[in-house]
Amino acid sequence: MDDRLFRDAMGKFATGVTVLLTENEGETHGMTANGFMSVSLDPKLVLISIGHKAKFFEKVSQSKKYTVNILAEDQEHYSRHFAGKPGETVEFETLAELPVLKGAITQIACEVVSEHIEGDHTLFIGKVVDLRLEDKDPLLFFSGKYRQLTEVETVKS
C-alpha cells in the first residue's frame, strides 16, 4: 500500500490536538502532535510518538523531559504555530519548571523513563510529575481538518 493511503486511513481516527514542549539550555522547543496516549495509572505514565526527522526528536532526546498541552477549541493558532506556520505570539507558563501553553485544557509535565524505537519513530514513555486542568472543550482533528466537539443526543429506549 502507498504512504498516502495509509495516512488517509489513519486520519479517519479523530484525535485531540496536542503541542509537545521541552526546554534545552533555557530555550523552549515544541511541535504539534496527535501521537499521544495514556499508558498506565500506577505509575502514571503517558506516551508520545516522535518521528526521527522532526527537530523536536533531538531536543526531547537531550532534555529527557517534555510537556503535553492538550489544546482548547480556540487554540488552533498554537497548533499551526508549532506545525511550522508561526503567527500569533505564544504565551508560556511553567509547570514543574517546564514550559506549558497558557490556556491549554490539560498541561502534563513528564520525565522520560524509557524510549522505544519503532520504525521511523521513537516512543517516549514519560512519568507524569505534575498536571493542570481547565474546563473547556477540546480542539479536534479528523480527516485532515480541525473540528469542534458537539454532543450527540442519546436516544432513550
Side-chain angles (χ1 to χ4, degrees):
M1 87 192 67
D2 71 15
D3 290 351
R4 173 55 26 205
L5 177 63
F6 183 76
R7 287 179 65 102
D8 289 349
M10 296 303 100
K12 297 299 181 188
F13 182 68
T15 64
V17 181
T18 71
V19 168
L20 309 175
L21 299 172
T22 194
E23 190 173 81
N24 293 86
E25 299 175 6
E27 191 173 335
T28 299
H29 304 276
M31 71 173 278
T32 300
N34 64 1
F36 160 73
M37 64 180 280
S38 67
V39 173
S40 171
L41 184 59
D42 185 19
K44 291 165 183 55
L45 302 173
V46 298
L47 173 150
I48 59 172
S49 177
I50 308 298
H52 297 149
K53 293 180 182 177
K55 293 175 188 174
F56 189 79
F57 172 75
E58 179 184 323
K59 302 302 182 185
V60 76
S61 294
Q62 292 170 356
S63 71
K64 302 296 185 201
K65 296 179 180 181
Y66 61 86
T67 63
V68 178
N69 300 269
I70 301 174
L71 300 185
E73 66 183 358
D74 63 349
Q75 293 182 310
E76 181 182 328
H77 61 284
Y78 282 157
S79 176
R80 292 186 185 284
H81 178 91
F82 288 100
K85 299 172 185 140
E88 297 180 35
T89 304
V90 177
E91 292 186 65
F92 295 109
E93 298 177 332
T94 58
L95 180 66
E97 299 180 19
L98 291 170
V100 290
L101 291 175
K102 184 176 183 174
I105 62 174
T106 304
Q107 303 164 333
I108 307 167
C110 303
E111 295 175 354
V112 175
V113 293
S114 65
E115 300 174 27
H116 304 274
I117 298 170
E118 298 297 337
D120 59 2
H121 279 59
T122 293
L123 309 177
F124 292 91
I125 307 290
K127 176 184 162 193
V128 176
V129 295
D130 204 355
L131 56 80
R132 188 181 299 142
L133 306 170
E134 288 199 31
D135 189 20
K136 298 179 178 179
D137 283 337
L139 179 64
L140 302 177
F141 199 71
F142 174 75
S143 204
K145 295 179 181 170
Y146 293 100
R147 311 286 178 128
Q148 291 182 339
L149 188 66
T150 58
E151 192 171 336
V152 176
E153 291 283 328
T154 305
V155 179
K156 295 181 181 182
S157 48

